[in-house]
Amino acid sequence: MTTAPTTPSAPTATATPRTAPAAPRFDTKIAVIVRDDLAVWQKLNVTAFLASGIAHASGDIMGKRYEDASGHDYLALLREPVLCYTADAGALTRTHARALSRAVPTALYTADMFTTGNDDDNRAAVRAVTADDLDLVGFAVYGPRGIVDKITKGLKLHG
């Protein structure tokens, strides 16, 4: 005896709704922290620069290139989400010290860098100041999830 294929019926009130698969949990984490008193354009600019620095933290941090259905090629992006936090100047300094003490890959942006016009002058501005005296407006870290969680503990997600 053969059985006719069944067609799916309309969902009922007791049916389990379809949900998207859970996002993969990465062993590493990317966090960007920006000072909360910056203008919006500055926050975006600093975040973009810091993300570009984090892209060089590890050989496997970047995903693969993209291609749309029309055959256009697009650049690769970071392979995992980037969590963005805000902090006041004091919390930013304390969090930066935590990052340095844990020796994770760190990118930084200082207030002096807003006044320079090129990468060489940016590096010179950072080199001229000790770590304790940097006028930080943002920094980013990449490392093992648990360590980055300890570094960012107590910070507020941006938004």
Side-chain angles (χ1 to χ4, degrees), residues 49 108-110 112-130 134:
F49 272 102
L108 83 159
Y109 203 102
T110 66
D112 292 337
M113 293 166 70
F114 285 128
T115 65
T116 64
N118 62 73
D119 195 43
D120 290 335
D121 290 340
N122 285 345
R123 281 194 304 283
V126 171
R127 184 177 300 276
V129 182
T130 64
L134 289 169

Side-chain angles (χ1 to χ4, degrees), residues 41-122:
W41 75 266
Q42 290 173 314
K43 288 179 185 178
L44 293 170
N45 183 265
V46 169
T47 300
F49 272 102
L50 294 173
S52 74
I54 289 298
H56 297 279
S58 166
D60 64 350
I61 197 167
M62 297 300 293
K64 295 180 180 177
R65 293 178 75 91
Y66 289 78
E67 182 179 324
D68 66 24
S70 300
H72 300 284
D73 188 48
Y74 300 93
L75 297 172
L77 303 175
L78 294 167
R79 70 178 176 91
E80 61 189 87
V82 178
L83 296 170
C84 296
Y85 298 89
T86 60
D88 62 27
L92 193 66
T93 298
R94 286 189 303 278
T95 306
H96 179 247
R98 282 188 225 147
L100 294 179
S101 73
R102 287 169 173 84
V104 294
T106 304
L108 83 159
Y109 203 102
T110 66
D112 292 337
M113 293 166 70
F114 285 128
T115 65
T116 64
N118 62 73
D119 195 43
D120 290 335
D121 290 340
N122 285 345

Side-chain angles (χ1 to χ4, degrees), residues 8-10 12 22 27 30 32 42 46 50 53 59 85 89 91 93 97 107 114 124-125 129 133 140-141 145 152:
S9 58
T12 63
D27 293 334
I30 301 168
V32 173
Q42 290 173 314
V46 169
L50 294 173
Y85 298 89
T93 298
F114 285 128
V129 182
D133 293 326
V141 294
R145 173 176 289 282
T152 58

Side-chain angles (χ1 to χ4, degrees), residues 127-153:
R127 184 177 300 276
V129 182
T130 64
D132 292 339
D133 293 326
L134 289 169
D135 186 6
L136 291 170
V137 296
F139 74 96
V141 294
Y142 171 74
R145 173 176 289 282
I147 291 174
V148 173
D149 286 344
K150 288 178 183 177
I151 291 168
T152 58
K153 184 176 178 146

